[in-house]
Amino acid sequence: MKKRHSLFPVSAFAAAMISVAAFAAAAQQPLPYRDDPKIPDTPACRRALEVIELVNAGDAEKVRDYILENFTPQFRDMAPMEQHLRIFAETRVASDGYDIHSVRTYDPPRPATNAVIVVKNRLTEGWEAIVLDVEETAPHRISSLSFAPARVPSDVEPEKPLSDAEIARQLGAYVDRLAARDLFSGTVLLAKNGKPLFTKATGIANRDCMTQVRLDTKFNTGSMFKMLTAVAVAQLAEKGKLSFEDPIGKYIGTDWLDQPILDKVTIRHLLTHTSGLGSYFNETYDRSSRLLFRKVGDYKPLVYGDSLAFEPGSRWQYSNTGFLLLGAIVEKAGGEDYFDYIRGHVTGPAGMKNTDCYELDLVNENLAVGYEKEQGPDGVVYRNNVF
């Protein structure tokens, strides 16, 4: 992809992106922390070490028995047993096991019933955390558990700057490790000052005929298109065709949402995922033919009747519906079909000739198929995401 910094109006795009970053930063300021390699003998830490041992062993029956005995009934029953087992199995595959590094404490401190154990992912060599809570009284069963990315431990010295060649070499080794475990299939580009330092194509683009991924293979972008939508909105704002503070009711009508919502939610709320709207990927969507959804306006029945989960601007919640509505606003303010606008004003000027929204029931030359990888009773099963 070739892209010059002057292709898009910097001020409007920056304003949109800065507002997103500022709200996210305000909502999630990280607490000061300290790491200690000596793990205290507390019920919560003992449980965390047991969970790490389960992940490293990769024994589904042991995991099942552990969950039945050592999860609180409320936490255990929040999801089917198979979902719990799948999370443990996927964690094992995506890590190749964990090496324990430290216990993490915060200022102000967390309750004694909470434990955060920092570990190193053997496969990615990245830092992760096992975060759990236990009951206050014996037998101190686990009431919550998560596997999460972690900040670099406080006792680890900052790494020395790497040369371009070293960065490229480490990136290549990382991609190769993931590809060898069937955890990555796609293309990679690392560039500096417009010059490629590393490129790689690996994996299968279409498993029906085992077509290999190439550097010029096309991929469906999914939510990555939200960035292009934000650019389109910023362009229109800079041209004076809309304002970030406009209520969305200025551009869309009650065939989308009820009037009070249209009056209350602004374009900025949609851009920053602070509108309170949710996702149009609902049960109706799951039961519907994709033939019904070609244009942005075709999605109205999936959005109509939606309500706000909170007062706009008061919280952050990822919203697919919000960006769908931005697409409708682009059409109204831009005066043309959303997809045509993106091609004509965003991807086209940027020279992104292989970036588009492809209709999957048509023939699209050199387009990869996306897959969900599942662990079935007879081994790994791949399901394409065409539907």
Side-chain angles (χ1 to χ4, degrees):
M1 178 180 71
K2 296 180 180 179
K3 179 178 175 182
R4 294 186 178 89
H5 70 276
S6 59
L7 278 171
F8 303 121
V10 175
S11 59
F13 179 62
M17 295 302 99
I18 288 171
S19 65
V20 175
F23 191 91
Q28 296 183 340
Q29 284 292 343
L31 295 174
Y33 63 97
R34 177 178 175 274
D35 291 284
D36 189 337
K38 186 177 180 180
I39 312 295
D41 187 23
T42 66
C45 285
R46 287 198 297 271
R47 290 298 190 196
L49 296 177
E50 291 167 358
V51 168
I52 294 169
E53 185 177 343
L54 284 172
V55 171
N56 290 350
D59 187 322
E61 286 307 311
K62 286 184 178 179
V63 173
R64 184 189 299 272
D65 292 343
Y66 186 88
I67 290 172
L68 290 173
E69 183 176 353
N70 298 304
F71 279 21
T72 64
Q74 182 179 10
F75 181 52
R76 181 192 65 216
D77 296 338
M78 284 178 62
M81 176 61 73
E82 293 309 310
Q83 185 171 330
H84 288 297
L85 296 177
R86 184 168 65 250
I87 290 172
F88 270 86
E90 291 174 351
T91 300
R92 177 67 173 83
V93 170
S95 66
D96 211 16
Y98 289 130
D99 291 323
I100 298 169
H101 180 270
S102 60
V103 62
R104 178 162 293 180
T105 54
Y106 298 88
D107 183 20
R110 292 186 175 183
T113 52
N114 175 266
V116 179
I117 304 296
V118 176
V119 295
K120 197 160 194 178
N121 184 309
R122 293 172 183 170
L123 180 63
T124 67
E125 299 181 356
W127 296 107
E128 297 183 25
I130 312 302
V131 184
L132 58 73
D133 293 279
V134 298
E135 298 170 307
E136 291 185 5
T137 58
H140 304 292
R141 292 172 298 185
I142 295 173
S143 58
S144 74
L145 168 66
S146 64
F147 304 91
R151 289 176 283 174
V152 177
S154 59
D155 60 343
V156 172
E157 292 293 327
E159 293 187 5
K160 295 179 180 179
L162 301 176
S163 67
D164 292 348
E166 289 171 328
I167 293 172
R169 179 183 58 78
Q170 288 195 17
L171 176 59
Y174 174 71
V175 172
D176 287 342
R177 288 199 304 274
L178 296 185
R181 296 295 301 272
D182 197 22
L183 294 174
F184 175 74
S185 178
T187 59
V188 180
L189 165 68
L190 173 67
K192 181 179 180 180
N193 297 328
K195 295 182 179 180
L197 300 177
F198 175 82
T199 58
K200 179 87 173 185
T202 186
I204 307 299
N206 187 317
R207 290 185 173 273
D208 287 336
C209 49
M210 299 305 287
T211 305
Q212 296 290 317
V213 173
R214 308 186 323 222
L215 283 176
D216 63 348
T217 295
K218 300 184 184 77
F219 298 89
N220 272 302
T221 49
S223 285
M224 299 298 286
F225 235 76
K226 288 183 171 68
M227 294 186 293
L228 305 185
T229 302
V231 170
V233 172
Q235 287 179 339
L236 291 167
E238 195 156 78
K239 293 175 182 177
K241 295 187 175 183
L242 59 79
S243 166
F244 295 148
E245 309 310 325
D246 284 340
I248 62 175
K250 185 175 178 179
Y251 304 94
I252 60 176
T254 53
D255 50 342
W256 279 100
L257 289 164
D258 291 338
Q259 193 63 49
I261 297 176
L262 299 175
D263 294 338
K264 187 179 294 188
V265 174
T266 67
I267 290 175
R268 185 182 296 277
H269 291 144
L270 300 185
L271 282 169
T272 57
H273 296 279
T274 59
S275 67
L277 294 167
S279 178
Y280 58 89
F281 292 122
N282 50 32
E283 290 185 13
T284 302
Y285 176 86
D286 289 338
R287 294 195 303 267
S288 301
S289 169
R290 299 303 177 263
L291 295 174
L292 298 174
F293 310 117
R294 296 287 185 182
K295 302 294 183 180
V296 172
D298 294 341
Y299 290 81
K300 288 180 184 178
L302 302 178
V303 175
Y304 184 75
D306 203 357
S307 59
L308 299 179
F310 51 83
E311 188 70 16
S314 65
R315 285 173 46 195
W316 185 95
Q317 175 181 283
Y318 190 84
S319 174
N320 285 310
T321 295
F323 267 77
L324 173 65
L325 296 177
L326 286 173
I329 291 169
V330 167
E331 289 191 336
K332 182 68 174 180
E336 59 183 310
D337 173 79
Y338 166 81
F339 302 104
D340 291 338
Y341 184 95
I342 295 295
R343 295 180 191 113
H345 299 273
V346 183
T347 56
M352 300 165 65
K353 61 182 181 180
N354 286 323
T355 299
D356 210 332
C357 289
Y358 299 101
E359 297 187 62
L360 300 184
D361 57 343
L362 300 179
V363 174
N364 298 286
E365 185 178 353
N366 197 25
L367 178 67
V369 177
Y371 294 93
E372 295 285 345
K373 185 178 178 182
E374 299 177 3
Q375 185 67 45
D378 300 319
V380 174
V381 174
Y382 294 90
R383 298 187 186 279
N384 73 52
N385 65 4
V386 172
F387 300 104

